[in-house]
Amino acid sequence: MRFFGLKNCDTCRKALKNLAIMGYQPEVVDVRSDGVDRADLEAIITEFGDAAINRASTTWRGLSDDEKAADPLSLLTAHPTLMKRPVIEADGRWTIGWKADVQAVYLKS
């Protein structure tokens, strides 16, 4: 299991804590400090498309209209913190966010 997020993100910390309780020990990729390799970015865009962009982030609000018009791969390459998070890859399956639907995938008893 690989976990793409930010170490200072409250949602990511909550998700990691819940995953640890369930016995998961994901490889954590901090998108800011570690970066995300192009193949993973492409897989994330293929899986989630435009939904991979967090339009509620302060990074998004700081972009110009021209920057906002770029394709998702270009945006995430230039600004990895724009990624909606967490993104989790486990056994070839990708999930995004930490809402009830995603929690149900990983927190089953």
Side-chain angles (χ1 to χ4, degrees), residues 2 4 27 29 31 34-44 73 77 83 94:
R2 295 183 303 150
F4 298 84
E27 170 193 341
V29 178
V31 299
D34 301 329
V36 183
D37 66 292
R38 186 170 181 91
D40 286 328
L41 283 177
E42 289 173 351
I44 291 165
L73 183 59
T77 299
M83 183 186 302
W94 293 85

Side-chain angles (χ1 to χ4, degrees), residues 13 16 26 32 36-38 45-46 50 52 66 71 76:
R13 286 194 296 242
L16 282 169
R32 179 179 289 132
V36 183
D37 66 292
R38 186 170 181 91
I45 299 301
T46 297
D50 208 38
D66 286 340
D71 66 277
L76 291 178

